[in-house]
Amino acid sequence: MGKHATHIVWDWNGTLFHDIDAVIGATNAAFGEIGLPPITLERYRELYCVPIPRFYERLMGRLPTDAEWVVMDEAFHRHYTLRREACALAEGVEMLLESWGTAGRSQSILSMYGHDELLPLVRDFGIESHFIRVDGRTGPSGGSKSAHMVRHLTALEGARVEPGRTVVIGDAVDDAVAARDAGAHAVLYTGGSHSRASLLEAGVPVVDSLAEAVETAERLVI
């Protein structure tokens, strides 16, 4: 990899991993455990935000209590794990990863999914070799990605990755915020957690396919 090559930091859930159906199913199962009505995909994408308790505030009209948050967070991850098995990589992911690497450019994963659960998933899909680093969340769930992104890019300095020549590809406004806070660029993808309208508010390019995301990343860093 050349010193000045563009680097991509991929998000996992809702980006490389097409798991939105599992997310909606697990969210509604978690809601049911505390007596909230189910939510549609469209409503989810309209309201979703980070930190996650603020998302629940939009639904409930108030922030969940600490006790409610513990129940909902545990329930979501329990139900998500059951539904995750039916999910697959997003369309064309393997070819995109292969092509990017063959061109001599690097890529990594930074996800807010738990690190110890993320690594086996990436390995099981047979794509781990495409990435120079794979980082999942450490610490409590539900927060922003910004601090994790700064640490991720700092850890890649030895691989000659420069934040200013890095493009974060994700499905959430928080991905754009994290990229900005780390001095990187961002492209947002409509196949995951947010509506197109909410993604556009981030002020970065918004695309409808990962192939278009990669093409846009190539143009962002000259």
Side-chain angles (χ1 to χ4, degrees):
M1 184 188 73
K3 181 177 180 180
H4 300 295
T6 300
H7 177 81
I8 289 178
V9 177
W10 293 96
D11 175 53
W12 179 251
N13 302 95
T15 305
L16 290 177
F17 189 44
H18 185 67
D19 63 346
I20 190 63
D21 291 336
V23 168
I24 293 298
T27 297
N28 284 331
F31 285 177
E33 294 198 13
I34 65 165
L36 287 176
I39 187 174
T40 65
L41 173 58
E42 292 71 24
R43 185 67 171 159
Y44 181 95
R45 284 174 164 165
E46 177 185 347
L47 296 178
Y48 181 79
C49 64
V50 172
I52 303 299
R54 294 298 301 274
F55 169 55
Y56 290 144
E57 180 183 25
R58 292 181 174 187
L59 291 167
M60 301 167 66
R62 61 174 176 81
L63 280 170
T65 65
D66 290 344
E68 287 172 331
W69 166 246
V70 169
V71 170
M72 295 169 79
D73 188 50
E74 185 280 329
F76 171 82
H77 286 95
R78 173 164 34 88
H79 289 288
Y80 174 82
T81 299
L82 294 174
R83 290 164 169 79
R84 185 187 69 195
E85 300 301 322
C87 300
L89 296 175
E91 183 178 358
V93 161
E94 294 96 331
M95 184 177 297
L96 288 172
L97 298 178
E98 179 71 29
S99 297
W100 189 260
T102 299
R105 294 168 292 197
S106 61
Q107 51 201 328
S108 59
I109 292 176
L110 175 62
S111 173
M112 293 302 282
Y113 196 49
H115 184 74
D116 291 340
E117 295 172 286
L118 174 66
L119 288 179
L121 277 176
V122 175
R123 288 172 184 150
D124 287 348
F125 279 113
I127 59 174
E128 185 181 17
S129 63
H130 293 300
F131 307 106
I132 60 173
R133 188 175 181 92
V134 177
D135 283 333
R137 171 186 49 79
T138 56
S141 63
S144 172
K145 187 180 270 189
S146 287
H148 297 269
M149 185 67 70
V150 171
R151 286 195 296 270
H152 183 75
L153 291 183
T154 299
L156 291 174
E157 287 177 354
R160 297 183 293 181
V161 171
E162 303 171 14
R165 304 193 65 82
T166 295
V167 180
V168 176
I169 298 178
D171 69 313
V173 171
D174 190 51
D175 290 301
V177 173
R180 180 201 65 200
D181 291 347
H185 304 272
V187 178
L188 298 181
Y189 164 60
T190 61
S193 59
H194 280 31
S195 67
R196 170 174 278 274
S198 63
L199 292 177
L200 287 170
E201 294 177 2
V204 301
V206 175
V207 300
D208 296 316
S209 72
L210 294 183
E212 188 181 357
V214 171
E215 292 171 1
T216 304
E218 291 178 309
R219 295 195 300 268
L220 280 177
V221 180
I222 305 300

